[in-house]
Amino acid sequence: MTAFFKGIPKVKFEGRETSSDFAFRHYDPDELIMGKRMEDHLRFAVAYWHSFAWEGGDPFGGRTFDRPWFGDTMDLARQKADVAFEMFDILNVPFFCFHDADIRPEGANFAESLRNLEEITDYFALKMETHRTRLLWGTANLFTHRRFMSGAATNPDPDVFAYAAATVKSCIDATHKLGGQNYVLWGGREGYETLLNTDLAREAEQAGRFLQMVVEYKHKIGFTGNILIEPKPQEPSKHQYDYDVATVYGFLKRFGLEGEVKVNIEQGHAILAGHSFEHELALAASLGLFGSIDMNRNDYQSGWDTDQFPDSVPEMARAYYEVLRAGGFTTGGTNFDAKLRRQSLDPADLILAHVGAIDICARSLKAAAALLEDGSLEAARSARYAGWDLPENQLMLSGATLGDIAARVLSEGIDPQPVSGRQERLENLWNRFV
Ligand code: XUL
Ligand code: CO
């Protein structure tokens, strides 16, 4: 045991009446919701980068946190892993997620970085023998190091493309070795600052081939998890190619990958793209792309990707309603891609941030499930489209021509009468459950 979380008890479900800070009031892993354990619905994951690698900096100031494992040695990387698994135990989370750069020190060259990654991967594997937490997904950090400043797969320099390919291979290998359930690609630098120095067409071809190779490699080594793209419209790049779910779908179709790759949707990214989280979730589900979620909100005033822990049941219930309508997670889960505020220095803050977020998600899931089980909202939605069930209207979607339809409008004297969308009534219904 390290001393970092000294005095902090394991967090358990104690119900609404408890006065303890270190307790779940709503998240009872074994409670059945729609016939499935809450833990199996929500599939919570801790993000290694924000919780253990982030130093508390912002654009105007550097490190505020003072963690004993900060530094660039393998000993410190192992100490970080010890603390991480202690936190997973305290929270009893089933999953975690990492980038290569979060878990190992950067080496003097690729070979040394690879050795470091492999050593820590083995150390994780050892820890996973005595801890229950599993890997939801691994990923490569292709955005922090200066070599990636002009992109990874979309870099004008083919050597960077090669370095990125080797890096992603190493991270898929690590993910596979640890039994990861997904592999994520988020292209923070796959985009541009200015079109004056950018060949859009070439960069798309590079990104397409890169992703095809990732999929080929996955099949070659027998990795059965899902490959996920995480859309984001901008930040750090001014314009990012994986803008939103719709854009990613077009990209996948173009390169013949729509059956192979799904999406990891982040609330904050959806909002940066001018969408709601639930819009992105519903669209992904409708396109057969729904994979996993990153659960972190942005500040609505600052406009930045502030990666805050969720704190709003009404908002998150909308999200979990779409997750449930999509049939729930298969390999995916709820990853807290969220970080503390930089003034939250105490070890306890790290635990309590997750405790609150887990309870918010549990309450949201319960509200969403109750509404779905109630059925009124789905019944109202179906009733609104009921006309389409009639055979003559079905024909308009398969078989009839524009001319046939025009003739029908004339012969039957079709004269559409506006019908209420009943939005406020449905909002009232929704709010009875949240
Ligand atoms: C950045 C972001 C990443 C990805 C993984 O905004 O969300 O942390 O989740 O690279
Ligand atoms: Co994310």
Side-chain angles (χ1 to χ4, degrees), residues 178-230:
L178 294 171
Q181 304 208 1
N182 309 272
Y183 183 82
V184 166
L185 295 120
W186 169 66
R189 306 270 177 210
E190 311 293 24
Y192 58 82
E193 290 300 309
T194 172
L195 277 176
L196 296 179
N197 64 10
T198 302
D199 185 335
L200 264 172
R202 258 182 198 279
E203 295 198 2
E205 288 296 331
Q206 290 170 215
R209 182 58 201 140
F210 194 94
L211 190 58
Q212 285 169 346
M213 287 192 289
V214 166
V215 168
E216 286 161 16
Y217 188 67
K218 161 198 154 151
H219 290 304
K220 177 164 179 262
I221 63 172
F223 176 67
T224 53
N226 274 313
I227 303 290
L228 306 175
I229 287 189
E230 185 174 321

Tab-separated table of all heavy atoms in Angstrom, residues 178-230:
chain	number	residue	atom	x	y	z
A	178	LEU	N	-3.534	-6.660	-22.347
A	178	LEU	CA	-4.247	-6.442	-21.082
A	178	LEU	C	-5.734	-6.797	-21.182
A	178	LEU	O	-6.511	-6.538	-20.268
A	178	LEU	CB	-4.084	-4.978	-20.639
A	178	LEU	CG	-2.644	-4.572	-20.274
A	178	LEU	CD1	-2.537	-3.072	-20.066
A	178	LEU	CD2	-2.167	-5.329	-19.024
A	179	GLY	N	-6.134	-7.360	-22.312
A	179	GLY	CA	-7.541	-7.758	-22.464
A	179	GLY	C	-8.471	-6.571	-22.616
A	179	GLY	O	-9.653	-6.643	-22.252
A	180	GLY	N	-7.966	-5.463	-23.160
A	180	GLY	CA	-8.794	-4.259	-23.345
A	180	GLY	C	-10.006	-4.559	-24.217
A	180	GLY	O	-9.939	-5.378	-25.124
A	181	GLN	N	-11.099	-3.859	-23.931
A	181	GLN	CA	-12.339	-4.159	-24.661
A	181	GLN	C	-12.537	-3.267	-25.884
A	181	GLN	O	-13.435	-3.498	-26.690
A	181	GLN	CB	-13.524	-4.051	-23.713
A	181	GLN	CG	-13.337	-4.967	-22.518
A	181	GLN	CD	-14.636	-5.443	-21.925
A	181	GLN	OE1	-15.715	-5.132	-22.393
A	181	GLN	NE2	-14.529	-6.219	-20.865
A	182	ASN	N	-11.720	-2.214	-25.988
A	182	ASN	CA	-11.796	-1.304	-27.138
A	182	ASN	C	-10.426	-0.679	-27.326
A	182	ASN	O	-9.602	-0.665	-26.414
A	182	ASN	CB	-12.784	-0.143	-26.885
A	182	ASN	CG	-14.141	-0.619	-26.419
A	182	ASN	OD1	-15.012	-0.909	-27.220
A	182	ASN	ND2	-14.332	-0.730	-25.110
A	183	TYR	N	-10.232	-0.120	-28.522
A	183	TYR	CA	-9.056	0.716	-28.767
A	183	TYR	C	-9.558	2.034	-29.354
A	183	TYR	O	-10.334	2.030	-30.317
A	183	TYR	CB	-8.063	0.032	-29.723
A	183	TYR	CG	-6.839	0.891	-29.893
A	183	TYR	CD1	-5.817	0.866	-28.950
A	183	TYR	CD2	-6.740	1.797	-30.947
A	183	TYR	CE1	-4.730	1.714	-29.059
A	183	TYR	CE2	-5.664	2.653	-31.058
A	183	TYR	CZ	-4.655	2.596	-30.105
A	183	TYR	OH	-3.587	3.460	-30.206
A	184	VAL	N	-9.132	3.159	-28.768
A	184	VAL	CA	-9.662	4.471	-29.168
A	184	VAL	C	-8.635	5.271	-29.965
A	184	VAL	O	-7.434	5.232	-29.672
A	184	VAL	CB	-10.100	5.269	-27.906
A	184	VAL	CG1	-10.326	6.742	-28.219
A	184	VAL	CG2	-11.378	4.667	-27.319
A	185	LEU	N	-9.137	5.992	-30.968
A	185	LEU	CA	-8.297	6.960	-31.685
A	185	LEU	C	-8.963	8.325	-31.587
A	185	LEU	O	-10.094	8.499	-32.055
A	185	LEU	CB	-8.149	6.583	-33.163
A	185	LEU	CG	-7.412	5.266	-33.419
A	185	LEU	CD1	-8.324	4.302	-34.150
A	185	LEU	CD2	-6.131	5.486	-34.200
A	186	TRP	N	-8.266	9.253	-30.946
A	186	TRP	CA	-8.738	10.629	-30.914
A	186	TRP	C	-7.669	11.488	-31.578
A	186	TRP	O	-6.524	11.480	-31.147
A	186	TRP	CB	-9.000	11.112	-29.480
A	186	TRP	CG	-9.224	12.589	-29.464
A	186	TRP	CD1	-10.275	13.255	-30.038
A	186	TRP	CD2	-8.365	13.599	-28.919
A	186	TRP	NE1	-10.117	14.608	-29.872
A	186	TRP	CE2	-8.965	14.845	-29.191
A	186	TRP	CE3	-7.153	13.571	-28.227
A	186	TRP	CZ2	-8.391	16.058	-28.805
A	186	TRP	CZ3	-6.570	14.767	-27.834
A	186	TRP	CH2	-7.190	15.994	-28.114
A	187	GLY	N	-8.045	12.198	-32.612
A	187	GLY	CA	-7.058	12.926	-33.420
A	187	GLY	C	-7.014	14.406	-33.135
A	187	GLY	O	-7.376	15.226	-33.966
A	188	GLY	N	-6.503	14.748	-31.969
A	188	GLY	CA	-6.450	16.169	-31.590
A	188	GLY	C	-5.630	17.028	-32.537
A	188	GLY	O	-5.905	18.203	-32.726
A	189	ARG	N	-4.592	16.412	-33.126
A	189	ARG	CA	-3.767	17.192	-34.070
A	189	ARG	C	-4.061	16.816	-35.512
A	189	ARG	O	-3.348	17.243	-36.420
A	189	ARG	CB	-2.280	16.968	-33.788
A	189	ARG	CG	-1.872	17.242	-32.355
A	189	ARG	CD	-1.443	18.670	-32.131
A	189	ARG	NE	-1.141	18.881	-30.721
A	189	ARG	CZ	-1.291	20.043	-30.095
A	189	ARG	NH1	-1.742	21.107	-30.729
A	189	ARG	NH2	-0.998	20.157	-28.817
A	190	GLU	N	-5.059	15.941	-35.718
A	190	GLU	CA	-5.439	15.578	-37.090
A	190	GLU	C	-6.425	16.628	-37.579
A	190	GLU	O	-7.641	16.478	-37.483
A	190	GLU	CB	-6.070	14.182	-37.150
A	190	GLU	CG	-5.291	13.078	-36.422
A	190	GLU	CD	-3.945	12.746	-37.053
A	190	GLU	OE1	-3.364	13.591	-37.756
A	190	GLU	OE2	-3.464	11.624	-36.809
A	191	GLY	N	-5.859	17.707	-38.073
A	191	GLY	CA	-6.655	18.842	-38.504
A	191	GLY	C	-5.685	19.917	-38.919
A	191	GLY	O	-4.558	19.610	-39.289
A	192	TYR	N	-6.115	21.168	-38.870
A	192	TYR	CA	-5.165	22.211	-39.287
A	192	TYR	C	-5.423	23.528	-38.575
A	192	TYR	O	-6.483	23.753	-38.005
A	192	TYR	CB	-5.219	22.406	-40.809
A	192	TYR	CG	-6.586	22.776	-41.342
A	192	TYR	CD1	-7.039	24.098	-41.309
A	192	TYR	CD2	-7.422	21.812	-41.889
A	192	TYR	CE1	-8.296	24.434	-41.793
A	192	TYR	CE2	-8.682	22.142	-42.373
A	192	TYR	CZ	-9.104	23.459	-42.324
A	192	TYR	OH	-10.339	23.787	-42.789
A	193	GLU	N	-4.403	24.364	-38.650
A	193	GLU	CA	-4.500	25.732	-38.126
A	193	GLU	C	-4.898	26.687	-39.244
A	193	GLU	O	-5.630	27.628	-39.044
A	193	GLU	CB	-3.156	26.180	-37.555
A	193	GLU	CG	-2.760	25.461	-36.279
A	193	GLU	CD	-3.769	25.671	-35.162
A	193	GLU	OE1	-4.116	26.836	-34.878
A	193	GLU	OE2	-4.218	24.667	-34.591
A	194	THR	N	-4.328	26.465	-40.457
A	194	THR	CA	-4.633	27.345	-41.587
A	194	THR	C	-4.591	26.538	-42.880
A	194	THR	O	-3.708	25.683	-43.066
A	194	THR	CB	-3.640	28.523	-41.682
A	194	THR	OG1	-3.888	29.230	-42.913
A	194	THR	CG2	-2.190	28.073	-41.655
A	195	LEU	N	-5.511	26.833	-43.771
A	195	LEU	CA	-5.515	26.169	-45.079
A	195	LEU	C	-4.346	26.654	-45.942
A	195	LEU	O	-4.022	26.019	-46.940
A	195	LEU	CB	-6.837	26.440	-45.799
A	195	LEU	CG	-8.013	25.537	-45.411
A	195	LEU	CD1	-9.283	25.974	-46.133
A	195	LEU	CD2	-7.718	24.066	-45.747
A	196	LEU	N	-3.711	27.757	-45.556
A	196	LEU	CA	-2.604	28.279	-46.360
A	196	LEU	C	-1.453	27.277	-46.458
A	196	LEU	O	-0.720	27.271	-47.436
A	196	LEU	CB	-2.082	29.600	-45.754
A	196	LEU	CG	-3.083	30.763	-45.750
A	196	LEU	CD1	-2.461	31.992	-45.106
A	196	LEU	CD2	-3.543	31.079	-47.173
A	197	ASN	N	-1.305	26.430	-45.423
A	197	ASN	CA	-0.203	25.452	-45.492
A	197	ASN	C	-0.712	24.006	-45.484
A	197	ASN	O	0.036	23.095	-45.169
A	197	ASN	CB	0.794	25.686	-44.340
A	197	ASN	CG	0.183	25.444	-42.971
A	197	ASN	OD1	-0.923	24.921	-42.861
A	197	ASN	ND2	0.904	25.824	-41.921
A	198	THR	N	-1.984	23.812	-45.806
A	198	THR	CA	-2.586	22.492	-45.625
A	198	THR	C	-3.192	21.956	-46.913
A	198	THR	O	-3.939	22.674	-47.594
A	198	THR	CB	-3.690	22.577	-44.542
A	198	THR	OG1	-3.088	23.057	-43.342
A	198	THR	CG2	-4.327	21.220	-44.288
A	199	ASP	N	-2.864	20.708	-47.236
A	199	ASP	CA	-3.472	20.022	-48.377
A	199	ASP	C	-4.507	19.047	-47.818
A	199	ASP	O	-4.206	17.910	-47.466
A	199	ASP	CB	-2.384	19.282	-49.168
A	199	ASP	CG	-2.931	18.638	-50.441
A	199	ASP	OD1	-4.150	18.347	-50.494
A	199	ASP	OD2	-2.136	18.427	-51.376
A	200	LEU	N	-5.746	19.557	-47.741
A	200	LEU	CA	-6.861	18.790	-47.164
A	200	LEU	C	-7.024	17.403	-47.786
A	200	LEU	O	-7.246	16.414	-47.091
A	200	LEU	CB	-8.162	19.533	-47.468
A	200	LEU	CG	-8.786	20.469	-46.482
A	200	LEU	CD1	-9.944	21.177	-47.150
A	200	LEU	CD2	-9.293	19.676	-45.307
A	201	ALA	N	-6.953	17.362	-49.092
A	201	ALA	CA	-7.242	16.122	-49.813
A	201	ALA	C	-6.212	15.055	-49.468
A	201	ALA	O	-6.552	13.902	-49.180
A	201	ALA	CB	-7.262	16.386	-51.313
A	202	ARG	N	-4.946	15.431	-49.489
A	202	ARG	CA	-3.878	14.497	-49.147
A	202	ARG	C	-4.031	13.992	-47.714
A	202	ARG	O	-3.866	12.817	-47.426
A	202	ARG	CB	-2.535	15.234	-49.166
A	202	ARG	CG	-1.687	15.020	-50.345
A	202	ARG	CD	-0.417	15.824	-50.061
A	202	ARG	NE	0.342	16.057	-51.268
A	202	ARG	CZ	1.169	15.165	-51.807
A	202	ARG	NH1	1.346	14.001	-51.254
A	202	ARG	NH2	1.831	15.437	-52.904
A	203	GLU	N	-4.318	14.918	-46.813
A	203	GLU	CA	-4.379	14.541	-45.396
A	203	GLU	C	-5.510	13.546	-45.138
A	203	GLU	O	-5.377	12.636	-44.319
A	203	GLU	CB	-4.482	15.791	-44.505
A	203	GLU	CG	-3.216	16.640	-44.597
A	203	GLU	CD	-3.017	17.647	-43.467
A	203	GLU	OE1	-3.853	17.703	-42.544
A	203	GLU	OE2	-2.008	18.373	-43.513
A	204	ALA	N	-6.622	13.706	-45.858
A	204	ALA	CA	-7.729	12.757	-45.695
A	204	ALA	C	-7.314	11.372	-46.191
A	204	ALA	O	-7.634	10.354	-45.561
A	204	ALA	CB	-8.959	13.248	-46.455
A	205	GLU	N	-6.595	11.330	-47.314
A	205	GLU	CA	-6.110	10.034	-47.838
A	205	GLU	C	-5.188	9.363	-46.821
A	205	GLU	O	-5.259	8.150	-46.588
A	205	GLU	CB	-5.350	10.229	-49.157
A	205	GLU	CG	-6.237	10.584	-50.349
A	205	GLU	CD	-7.227	9.482	-50.717
A	205	GLU	OE1	-6.923	8.294	-50.474
A	205	GLU	OE2	-8.319	9.826	-51.232
A	206	GLN	N	-4.310	10.143	-46.216
A	206	GLN	CA	-3.373	9.593	-45.219
A	206	GLN	C	-4.140	9.030	-44.018
A	206	GLN	O	-3.869	7.924	-43.557
A	206	GLN	CB	-2.407	10.693	-44.732
A	206	GLN	CG	-1.401	11.126	-45.773
A	206	GLN	CD	-0.601	12.365	-45.376
A	206	GLN	OE1	-0.272	13.167	-46.232
A	206	GLN	NE2	-0.296	12.550	-44.091
A	207	ALA	N	-5.130	9.807	-43.551
A	207	ALA	CA	-5.902	9.370	-42.373
A	207	ALA	C	-6.691	8.109	-42.697
A	207	ALA	O	-6.806	7.195	-41.866
A	207	ALA	CB	-6.836	10.487	-41.918
A	208	GLY	N	-7.223	8.038	-43.921
A	208	GLY	CA	-8.015	6.871	-44.329
A	208	GLY	C	-7.166	5.618	-44.372
A	208	GLY	O	-7.538	4.568	-43.843
A	209	ARG	N	-5.994	5.733	-44.970
A	209	ARG	CA	-5.110	4.552	-45.051
A	209	ARG	C	-4.628	4.141	-43.653
A	209	ARG	O	-4.547	2.965	-43.331
A	209	ARG	CB	-3.914	4.855	-45.983
A	209	ARG	CG	-2.962	3.703	-46.169
A	209	ARG	CD	-3.660	2.453	-46.739
A	209	ARG	NE	-2.893	1.238	-46.460
A	209	ARG	CZ	-3.418	0.074	-46.100
A	209	ARG	NH1	-4.739	-0.070	-45.960
A	209	ARG	NH2	-2.657	-0.964	-45.885
A	210	PHE	N	-4.354	5.130	-42.834
A	210	PHE	CA	-3.894	4.851	-41.463
A	210	PHE	C	-4.936	4.007	-40.731
A	210	PHE	O	-4.627	2.981	-40.134
A	210	PHE	CB	-3.668	6.184	-40.728
A	210	PHE	CG	-2.884	6.069	-39.448
A	210	PHE	CD1	-1.508	6.263	-39.441
A	210	PHE	CD2	-3.512	5.786	-38.241
A	210	PHE	CE1	-0.767	6.168	-38.259
A	210	PHE	CE2	-2.784	5.685	-37.063
A	210	PHE	CZ	-1.410	5.878	-37.072
A	211	LEU	N	-6.198	4.440	-40.834
A	211	LEU	CA	-7.249	3.730	-40.105
A	211	LEU	C	-7.473	2.331	-40.690
A	211	LEU	O	-7.717	1.373	-39.951
A	211	LEU	CB	-8.551	4.544	-40.125
A	211	LEU	CG	-9.642	4.034	-39.194
A	211	LEU	CD1	-9.182	3.991	-37.743
A	211	LEU	CD2	-10.902	4.901	-39.303
A	212	GLN	N	-7.366	2.219	-42.014
A	212	GLN	CA	-7.475	0.876	-42.620
A	212	GLN	C	-6.397	-0.050	-42.059
A	212	GLN	O	-6.657	-1.214	-41.741
A	212	GLN	CB	-7.328	0.960	-44.142
A	212	GLN	CG	-8.564	1.524	-44.841
A	212	GLN	CD	-8.308	1.854	-46.308
A	212	GLN	OE1	-7.143	1.905	-46.752
A	212	GLN	NE2	-9.365	2.107	-47.060
A	213	MET	N	-5.185	0.488	-41.889
A	213	MET	CA	-4.097	-0.351	-41.358
A	213	MET	C	-4.359	-0.754	-39.908
A	213	MET	O	-4.026	-1.870	-39.499
A	213	MET	CB	-2.748	0.377	-41.472
A	213	MET	CG	-2.236	0.438	-42.895
A	213	MET	SD	-0.514	0.963	-42.993
A	213	MET	CE	-0.639	2.686	-42.561
A	214	VAL	N	-4.958	0.160	-39.155
A	214	VAL	CA	-5.300	-0.162	-37.760
A	214	VAL	C	-6.278	-1.339	-37.731
A	214	VAL	O	-6.112	-2.299	-36.967
A	214	VAL	CB	-5.902	1.086	-37.044
A	214	VAL	CG1	-6.572	0.701	-35.739
A	214	VAL	CG2	-4.816	2.125	-36.807
A	215	VAL	N	-7.287	-1.271	-38.602
A	215	VAL	CA	-8.297	-2.333	-38.646
A	215	VAL	C	-7.666	-3.649	-39.123
A	215	VAL	O	-7.921	-4.719	-38.561
A	215	VAL	CB	-9.488	-1.901	-39.539
A	215	VAL	CG1	-10.400	-3.069	-39.842
A	215	VAL	CG2	-10.256	-0.770	-38.869
A	216	GLU	N	-6.813	-3.557	-40.141
A	216	GLU	CA	-6.133	-4.773	-40.634
A	216	GLU	C	-5.312	-5.411	-39.508
A	216	GLU	O	-5.316	-6.626	-39.317
A	216	GLU	CB	-5.185	-4.425	-41.813
A	216	GLU	CG	-5.923	-4.134	-43.123
A	216	GLU	CD	-5.066	-3.360	-44.129
A	216	GLU	OE1	-3.823	-3.306	-43.972
A	216	GLU	OE2	-5.652	-2.787	-45.067
A	217	TYR	N	-4.619	-4.558	-38.756
A	217	TYR	CA	-3.763	-5.070	-37.681
A	217	TYR	C	-4.590	-5.722	-36.571
A	217	TYR	O	-4.234	-6.784	-36.053
A	217	TYR	CB	-2.875	-3.952	-37.116
A	217	TYR	CG	-1.856	-4.481	-36.142
A	217	TYR	CD1	-0.826	-5.315	-36.577
A	217	TYR	CD2	-1.927	-4.182	-34.783
A	217	TYR	CE1	0.102	-5.836	-35.681
A	217	TYR	CE2	-0.998	-4.696	-33.888
A	217	TYR	CZ	0.011	-5.526	-34.342
A	217	TYR	OH	0.922	-6.052	-33.451
A	218	LYS	N	-5.707	-5.071	-36.251
A	218	LYS	CA	-6.601	-5.626	-35.223
A	218	LYS	C	-6.973	-7.062	-35.585
A	218	LYS	O	-6.934	-7.973	-34.762
A	218	LYS	CB	-7.849	-4.732	-35.128
A	218	LYS	CG	-9.034	-5.385	-34.471
A	218	LYS	CD	-10.347	-4.682	-34.752
A	218	LYS	CE	-11.463	-5.706	-34.634
A	218	LYS	NZ	-12.740	-5.174	-34.212
A	219	HIS	N	-7.364	-7.271	-36.845
A	219	HIS	CA	-7.770	-8.619	-37.274
A	219	HIS	C	-6.577	-9.568	-37.296
A	219	HIS	O	-6.691	-10.737	-36.937
A	219	HIS	CB	-8.448	-8.560	-38.639
A	219	HIS	CG	-9.798	-7.892	-38.575
A	219	HIS	ND1	-10.792	-8.336	-37.731
A	219	HIS	CD2	-10.301	-6.806	-39.202
A	219	HIS	CE1	-11.861	-7.554	-37.858
A	219	HIS	NE2	-11.591	-6.613	-38.738
A	220	LYS	N	-5.428	-9.049	-37.698
A	220	LYS	CA	-4.237	-9.899	-37.797
A	220	LYS	C	-3.875	-10.494	-36.429
A	220	LYS	O	-3.542	-11.670	-36.325
A	220	LYS	CB	-3.071	-9.062	-38.344
A	220	LYS	CG	-1.759	-9.805	-38.422
A	220	LYS	CD	-0.751	-9.091	-39.299
A	220	LYS	CE	0.543	-9.870	-39.328
A	220	LYS	NZ	1.538	-9.357	-38.387
A	221	ILE	N	-3.963	-9.668	-35.379
A	221	ILE	CA	-3.543	-10.188	-34.062
A	221	ILE	C	-4.706	-10.801	-33.292
A	221	ILE	O	-4.538	-11.281	-32.173
A	221	ILE	CB	-2.858	-9.092	-33.199
A	221	ILE	CG1	-3.843	-7.946	-32.872
A	221	ILE	CG2	-1.605	-8.559	-33.879
A	221	ILE	CD1	-3.286	-6.940	-31.872
A	222	GLY	N	-5.912	-10.757	-33.864
A	222	GLY	CA	-7.056	-11.357	-33.180
A	222	GLY	C	-7.588	-10.521	-32.029
A	222	GLY	O	-8.133	-11.056	-31.061
A	223	PHE	N	-7.439	-9.207	-32.139
A	223	PHE	CA	-8.027	-8.320	-31.118
A	223	PHE	C	-9.525	-8.234	-31.391
A	223	PHE	O	-9.944	-7.816	-32.470
A	223	PHE	CB	-7.377	-6.931	-31.210
A	223	PHE	CG	-7.977	-5.914	-30.269
A	223	PHE	CD1	-7.843	-6.046	-28.888
A	223	PHE	CD2	-8.678	-4.814	-30.754
A	223	PHE	CE1	-8.392	-5.105	-28.018
A	223	PHE	CE2	-9.234	-3.879	-29.898
A	223	PHE	CZ	-9.088	-4.020	-28.527
A	224	THR	N	-10.323	-8.656	-30.422
A	224	THR	CA	-11.769	-8.739	-30.681
A	224	THR	C	-12.532	-7.511	-30.179
A	224	THR	O	-13.741	-7.424	-30.341
A	224	THR	CB	-12.374	-9.993	-30.017
A	224	THR	OG1	-12.009	-9.979	-28.631
A	224	THR	CG2	-11.856	-11.261	-30.674
A	225	GLY	N	-11.817	-6.572	-29.557
A	225	GLY	CA	-12.485	-5.356	-29.090
A	225	GLY	C	-12.883	-4.469	-30.258
A	225	GLY	O	-12.570	-4.744	-31.413
A	226	ASN	N	-13.584	-3.391	-29.935
A	226	ASN	CA	-13.978	-2.436	-30.978
A	226	ASN	C	-12.924	-1.344	-31.152
A	226	ASN	O	-12.345	-0.867	-30.177
A	226	ASN	CB	-15.307	-1.766	-30.605
A	226	ASN	CG	-16.500	-2.583	-31.057
A	226	ASN	OD1	-16.549	-3.055	-32.203
A	226	ASN	ND2	-17.463	-2.764	-30.174
A	227	ILE	N	-12.721	-0.952	-32.404
A	227	ILE	CA	-11.927	0.246	-32.697
A	227	ILE	C	-12.901	1.418	-32.663
A	227	ILE	O	-13.962	1.385	-33.314
A	227	ILE	CB	-11.272	0.157	-34.096
A	227	ILE	CG1	-10.396	-1.097	-34.230
A	227	ILE	CG2	-10.484	1.432	-34.399
A	227	ILE	CD1	-9.133	-1.096	-33.425
A	228	LEU	N	-12.564	2.445	-31.900
A	228	LEU	CA	-13.463	3.596	-31.732
A	228	LEU	C	-12.757	4.890	-32.127
A	228	LEU	O	-11.620	5.119	-31.720
A	228	LEU	CB	-13.902	3.718	-30.268
A	228	LEU	CG	-14.530	2.493	-29.597
A	228	LEU	CD1	-14.789	2.780	-28.113
A	228	LEU	CD2	-15.841	2.124	-30.283
A	229	ILE	N	-13.460	5.721	-32.887
A	229	ILE	CA	-12.968	7.087	-33.141
A	229	ILE	C	-13.703	8.019	-32.195
A	229	ILE	O	-14.915	7.877	-31.996
A	229	ILE	CB	-13.219	7.515	-34.603
A	229	ILE	CG1	-12.255	6.762	-35.517
A	229	ILE	CG2	-13.027	9.019	-34.768
A	229	ILE	CD1	-12.254	7.265	-36.940
A	230	GLU	N	-12.971	8.965	-31.618
A	230	GLU	CA	-13.606	9.939	-30.721
A	230	GLU	C	-13.698	11.289	-31.437
A	230	GLU	O	-12.683	11.956	-31.641
A	230	GLU	CB	-12.785	10.054	-29.434
A	230	GLU	CG	-13.441	10.945	-28.402
A	230	GLU	CD	-12.688	10.935	-27.071
A	230	GLU	OE1	-12.195	9.863	-26.652
A	230	GLU	OE2	-12.603	12.010	-26.459
